Amino acid sequence: MSKRILVIDDSPLVRNLHSVMLKSAGFQTEDAENGFDALEKAMKSDFDLMIVDINMPKMDGFAFFKEIRNNEKYKDVPLLIVSTESESEDKMKGFKAGANLYLIKPVKPEVLIENVNLLLQS
């Protein structure tokens, strides 16, 4: 069974792009447009990894991390930030919130797949 990945981004274009990349590498994907939507989907299903944007309406990536890391089911699931925020303070805030890795948009397909595979092996 292939690994399931939740792609969380407020941009439909980015969600679709990341999903296409991941599906072409053999992963199953589901998407969410913000942190609230993602939490709802995470409670109804199981995911092996989550790709999360930071800047989203209703619930941003940092608030989502706080919620998901407090859930026993997802306390150890890899969380990958893919964001346009490239300042070192943003990266540090992401890691403190519980991210395993932080990539800057736009992400090349091979870089995304390589890092997803790396996170799923650990």
Side-chain angles (χ1 to χ4, degrees):
M1 177 120 178
S2 62
K3 300 285 187 177
R4 297 193 72 236
I5 299 173
L6 182 58
V7 178
I8 310 160
D9 199 296
D10 59 319
S11 165
L13 179 65
V14 171
R15 287 194 311 268
N16 187 49
L17 182 63
H18 289 168
S19 291
V20 167
M21 288 180 204
L22 294 162
K23 286 177 182 175
S24 72
F27 297 106
Q28 294 179 14
T29 66
E30 192 165 334
D31 65 339
E33 63 187 37
N34 60 56
F36 283 123
D37 187 27
L39 279 175
E40 188 175 293
K41 290 180 179 188
M43 295 308 117
K44 292 180 180 176
S45 193
D46 293 326
F47 295 97
D48 300 294
L49 182 140
M50 297 180 193
I51 297 175
V52 187
D53 185 22
I54 296 299
N55 296 318
M56 298 180 287
K58 298 184 184 175
M59 180 185 280
D60 69 13
F62 297 127
F64 171 77
F65 281 174
K66 183 177 182 182
E67 292 294 324
I68 207 75
R69 284 298 189 216
N70 284 327
N71 185 299
E72 189 65 28
K73 177 177 167 181
Y74 288 111
K75 68 180 181 69
D76 295 321
V77 168
L79 300 176
L80 169 57
I81 293 174
V82 179
S83 177
T84 56
E85 303 301 326
S86 59
E87 298 297 320
S88 58
E89 306 91 60
D90 296 310
K91 292 178 184 178
M92 288 307 300
K93 190 174 178 183
F95 288 122
K96 285 180 182 176
N100 298 85
L101 194 59
Y102 195 115
L103 299 176
I104 307 300
K105 290 179 187 175
V107 178
K108 293 181 181 177
E110 62 273 14
V111 172
L112 181 66
I113 300 307
E114 180 180 320
N115 283 289
V116 165
N117 281 324
L118 181 70
L119 288 171
L120 288 171
Q121 288 175 0
S122 51

